[in-house]
Amino acid sequence: MPSRKRQLGGVVLAVAGAAAARQWRQQAGGVAAGALSAAYVAAFAGSHPLAKKVGAWPAVFGVAGAVGLASWVVADRRG
């Protein structure tokens, strides 16, 4: 039986990604928003195999930090 918590996590991930993409588009334009959105999705996918090596929370914090840094460099630093 699938866990509803995983499904809820996917909903939260999608809503947060959509909100971030909107903000990125406003601050840095469509191309930057597309690149950062791709990084967001890739980081989520990459966190799973990374978690097998370093643990779940270190993987989550690591990829979140990487996307956060990329967001700052591409969209936030300009302001």
Side-chain angles (χ1 to χ4, degrees):
M1 183 164 99
S3 166
R4 291 207 161 105
K5 291 180 183 178
R6 286 179 82 59
Q7 293 171 345
L8 178 59
V11 169
V12 170
L13 182 79
V15 170
R22 181 173 179 241
Q23 184 174 354
W24 291 328
R25 188 173 41 256
Q26 289 174 347
Q27 292 179 334
V31 173
L36 288 168
S37 295
Y40 180 83
V41 171
F44 172 71
S47 71
H48 288 84
L50 181 60
K52 292 179 182 179
K53 296 181 185 223
V54 300
W57 285 112
V60 168
F61 289 133
V63 301
V67 173
L69 179 60
S71 174
W72 178 77
V73 167
V74 173
D76 298 329
R77 182 174 59 161
R78 296 177 184 189

